[in-house]
Amino acid sequence: MDERPADGRTPQERRPDASMTLLTSMLERPLDPSYQAAADRRRAAGETPATSSRTVLVFVMMLLTGLLFAIGAQALRPKPTAAATVRDELVSRIETLQTHSTAQEATLAALSKQVRDLEDLSLQQSGSDDLTAQIKQLEVGAAAVPLRGSGLTLTIDDAASADADANAGNRPSGGFQQGRVTSGDLQIVVNGLWGAGAEAIAINGHRLSSTAAIRFAGQAIIVDFRPLSRPYVITALGDPQGMQQIFEPSFAGVYLDQLRQEYQIRSSIATSDDLTVPGDTSAKLDHAKPLSGTVGSAPSLTSTQTGSGSGTGSEGATSAPSSPASGSTPNPQETTQ
Amino acid sequence: MIPVLGLLAGLAIGLVIDPSVPVWLQPYLPIAVIAALDAVFGAVRAVLDGIFNDKVFVVSFLSNVIVAAFIVFLGDQLGVGAQLSTGVVVVLGVRIFSNVASIRRHLFKA
């Protein structure tokens, strides 16, 4: 290949950028110089400078290029690994089981309602309807029945910077990450709400009974043995204004404020007149004792209903006040972690 | 038009038969693809400049691919394969962009 000076100078004149000839030739003459040389030769021989681009040679070359591209792409594209396949299968199994569990919970709720109705009926038939009111009150306290009323909605979410890998599948298996809501944060906030006079609290639709625990497993927050995903919506029934007034200057309110300032954890509080919290479907009859002065053979149903989480002794169990009466003494439970 | 048909046919054949590439050849594929791209864009520019020559195209294509693969091979033997690959990609990438800019000037006058 004969080298032609790019700008027609003779090689004797030194260009000011002569020490950078490599870069200059790369940037100024990206086209292979041999094209120009071949064209010049053809011109000198009296032919057109360009040959046809429709020759067999060009076709074969382009065919090879296409083959190279396709083979390169297929050989080097990351293939779905066995681990990914297994992961997909596990995800689908978890989703199926979660759907199943939701359906079962609905059945359970319907059946418990039937049981309660039958209990009421049997009590009425035995001629002691004054117990019904007492049972109703105790059921509210034991979080066994859904409740509806005015209250607060407190939404807590991880910091925006922690969003990048906030998918459930990408949670790191260990280690503390700033900007993530931890179970301890939720415990403090929930206890603060109890202390502010909340009568019933649910997190992401899971009612907190007297034995429900807020714990962590890995990086996931577990409430009553069910993992939650962000954002965490805490619904607290009670006097909205009153609760807010007590909550915000309280320790939990200040703590939440600190979380926002230090770790950019997002939280918002909203009042509403019409909120519902579901009943704790895992509540079951645990303990029963006969009433003094019992009425005939009527079953004594003055009993405590507790959630299934009783006796786990796990760290950080939060306790709901057992008395449903509003205005009862605030019951901030000590939590440890 | 015929070269484009050739390219499409090659792509189709490659996708359909899906040949398995031996593992020892795989490190050279990305470099070979870049080198081939450079040769193809150079050829397109030559066509638009009116100085296309099919023999030069074939020779530049093959020499590009072989030299690029050789540089990577040599780099692997010397333990600097990654760095040399980067060098090849940078040089060929600059050429590809310059040629594409020239093609753009020819086609769109912009």
Side-chain angles (χ1 to χ4, degrees):
Chain A
M1 321 263 162
D2 53 347
E3 286 296 322
R4 295 155 49 87
D7 48 5
R9 295 176 196 219
T10 58
Q12 282 76 29
E13 296 174 49
R14 272 180 66 84
R15 287 173 48 136
D17 55 353
S19 60
M20 298 187 287
T21 44
L22 178 69
L23 282 176
T24 319
S25 71
M26 196 172 81
L27 290 169
E28 284 183 358
R29 291 179 306 165
L31 189 59
D32 212 322
S34 42
Y35 278 118
Q36 190 62 53
D40 287 348
R41 270 201 304 279
R42 283 176 67 90
R43 240 190 238 110
E47 301 171 76
T48 52
T51 63
S52 168
S53 62
R54 300 192 171 91
T55 56
V56 178
L57 203 57
V58 173
F59 181 81
V60 170
M61 229 43 232
M62 292 306 284
L63 194 77
L64 281 178
T65 312
L67 261 178
L68 183 67
F69 288 175
I71 293 172
Q74 286 202 326
L76 300 175
R77 194 178 338 142
K79 295 186 177 57
T81 57
T85 320
V86 171
R87 186 176 169 276
D88 285 347
E89 195 193 316
L90 283 177
V91 166
S92 76
R93 262 168 61 186
I94 289 171
E95 277 167 359
T96 316
L97 286 176
Q98 274 174 345
T99 319
H100 184 66
S101 144
T102 314
Q104 298 282 63
E105 270 176 28
T107 319
L108 190 59
L111 287 176
S112 353
K113 191 172 179 321
Q114 267 187 34
V115 169
R116 276 197 299 278
D117 288 349
L118 288 173
E119 280 172 1
D120 288 352
L121 194 67
S122 133
L123 273 173
Q124 273 165 13
Q125 279 171 351
S126 69
S128 65
D129 51 358
D130 59 330
L131 276 183
T132 318
Q134 205 182 344
I135 289 171
K136 285 266 186 289
Q137 206 192 21
L138 288 172
E139 276 177 340
V140 168
V145 285
L147 288 179
R148 178 172 187 179
S150 59
L152 289 178
T153 313
L154 181 57
T155 309
I156 307 178
D157 200 351
D158 294 345
S161 55
D163 270 357
D165 54 352
N167 292 328
N170 291 342
R171 281 197 181 275
S173 49
F176 176 74
Q177 250 188 309
Q178 291 195 343
R180 279 206 196 287
V181 180
T182 65
S183 57
D185 301 338
L186 282 188
Q187 287 166 10
I188 289 171
V189 168
V190 165
N191 280 336
L193 285 171
W194 286 128
E199 292 163 45
I201 294 183
I203 302 181
N204 284 13
H206 294 300
R207 177 77 172 273
L208 293 180
S209 68
S210 51
T211 54
I214 303 177
R215 308 161 60 205
F216 62 92
Q219 293 280 307
I221 296 180
I222 312 266
V223 167
D224 211 5
F225 299 102
R226 276 161 294 200
L228 300 187
S229 58
R230 51 170 289 272
Y232 309 100
V233 182
I234 304 174
T235 313
L237 297 193
D239 170 28
Q241 272 72 38
M243 275 202 296
Q244 204 168 353
Q245 273 166 18
I246 301 176
F247 177 76
E248 281 185 344
S250 74
F251 170 70
V254 174
Y255 181 82
L256 202 56
D257 213 42
Q258 288 287 321
L259 284 184
R260 185 166 40 232
Q261 282 172 17
E262 297 287 325
Y263 302 113
Q264 285 80 44
I265 281 177
R266 294 168 283 184
S267 64
S268 64
I269 197 161
T271 59
S272 170
D273 286 336
D274 185 29
L275 291 172
T276 52
V277 291
D280 181 7
T281 47
S282 58
K284 65 183 195 301
L285 190 62
D286 224 27
H287 175 70
K289 66 169 189 234
L291 277 176
S292 55
T294 181
V295 231
S297 62
S300 306
L301 282 169
T302 315
S303 56
T304 53
Q305 278 176 304
T306 59
S308 61
S310 61
T312 52
S314 60
E315 78 276 57
T318 51
S319 296
S322 52
S323 162
S326 70
S328 66
T329 50
N331 191 11
Q333 298 287 317
E334 288 297 319
T335 62
T336 55
Q337 185 169 333
Chain B
M1 187 48 67
I2 287 181
V4 175
L5 285 181
L7 185 68
L8 292 179
L11 277 174
I13 293 171
L15 289 176
V16 168
I17 61 175
D18 191 9
S20 62
V21 182
V23 174
W24 61 267
L25 206 57
Q26 284 190 359
Y28 307 110
L29 270 181
I31 292 297
V33 166
I34 301 281
L37 261 186
D38 173 54
V40 168
F41 279 117
V44 172
R45 179 181 175 183
V47 168
L48 294 173
D49 282 351
I51 54 171
F52 179 75
N53 190 299
D54 52 358
K55 285 187 193 65
V56 174
F57 172 53
V58 172
V59 170
S60 75
F61 184 103
L62 293 180
S63 72
N64 259 359
V65 171
I66 290 169
V67 169
F70 175 70
I71 289 175
V72 175
F73 169 76
L74 199 63
D76 278 344
Q77 303 307 309
L78 298 174
V80 287
Q83 289 88 333
L84 279 184
S85 298
T86 310
V88 169
V89 168
V90 167
V91 171
L92 294 181
V94 168
R95 274 174 45 138
I96 289 173
F97 272 104
S98 316
N99 279 330
V100 168
S102 171
I103 292 167
R104 196 190 60 215
R105 274 197 293 280
H106 271 294
L107 291 182
F108 305 115
K109 311 273 182 279

